Amino acid sequence: MAAIVCKFGGTSVADAGQVRKIESILRADARRRYAVVSALGKRKKEDQKVTDLLYLCHELAAAGLDISEPFHIIRDRHLELAGDLGVNLDVAGLLEEVRKQTQGGASRDFVASRGEYLSGRIVAAYLRARFVDPADGILFTPDGQLDDRTYDRLDGLLKGDGLFVIPGFYGANPDGSIHTFPRGGSDISGAVVARAVRAEAYENWTDVSGFLMTDPRIVPDAMPIREVTYRELRELAYMGATVLQDEAIFPVRQLRIPIHIRNTNAPDDPGTLVLPSRGVSDTGVTGIAGKRGFSMVFIEKALMNKEHGFGRKVLEILESHGISYEHSPTGIDSMSVVIEDEEIAGKEEIIRQEIQRILEPDRVDITSGLALIATVGEGMAYRVGVAARVFTALAQAGVNVRIIDQGSSEINIIVGVDQKDYETAVKALYKAFA
Ligand code: ASP
């Protein structure tokens, strides 16, 4: 029988009541045989996520300081959870081991991974499921990429009947040491497991009923998105829609496994389905997402288009300073490179000087404090007037557009605006396409 992989996020394992909800979700469908879990998340706003506390413990330990204070919170939360669930597991013993390892100089990734390890052990004990440690099955290459051998290895570990619990967020380096995915990476673990077992669906259970057309902090009544394609989701998630980690689609995409984003607290809500393709929406636009915190390097030089290797040299300068870039809209005699603020912070002057010296442009400016907003939709490639609508909406809202970039994928129009105009711009775009 085809199986469904369920990933449960931090709030879905935050306390015993939540874990009981997981139990009913799993028991409601016999195909749900693989549960990937996050570390304990927040029960209420003031709570700290266990992963954040573990990072703090590691930082303190690395500075030779005492970790007791944050570790106590970690300890109490796990003991309380295990106690409330009545699990038969020596959680105090496991915690003591983690404390010793952390204080004893374990690596940052190892310490962070213990959040998922502990929640996985407790949930597995409660559900009487088999616990599979991803350190035995999820493998990374020496440069930190997922090793393709992962899928066969994991599949071998996940054979047999019954329910399996697999902690999210980590795997192992070639030398066996622990390596974590980026933050929010349990979403990627869930996708990796789904691909390994060739699941019929990957259900990602979280605390919202799927994606909304835009950020509800800016547009409180934003409409839900029922269906979205992998490509649209990748663009929306990368641009700040935070429901799913933006790399999570890659493992499942090749096998065309649908991702279903669902709400642990409202399991009957339809959620959002992420599919290889879908029918086109009325406006051609599926969602609007954005991020603050970008800088733009703008270079102008007469007859730039005739000069060989101009773009390469600009990018080489950035590369030599370890800076990766996001977009590069170009004109005939001008070129700009959009970079995340934190990539370029503190290096602006040296970059400016090197560009000046090596490329001798007429002008080079570096502007920070920009926000990028992506209007995303598969339909826009075949529809006339989407761009016109974007710019009319922004102009009517009095927003000055600083950057325009229509990605070559043709499913995305990105505009860059001053950070102060960010919310106004998102609201205007939502109104134009909702
Ligand atoms: N616990 C990790 C984090 O907070 C991974 C995850 O929950 O997806 O980033």
Side-chain angles (χ1 to χ4, degrees), residues 7 9-10 38-39 49 51-52 55 112 116 168-169 182-187:
K7 180 262 172 174
S38 276
K49 291 172 79 173
T51 309
D52 292 331
Y55 279 125
E116 272 70 10
F169 195 35
R183 290 305 302 267
S186 298
D187 286 342

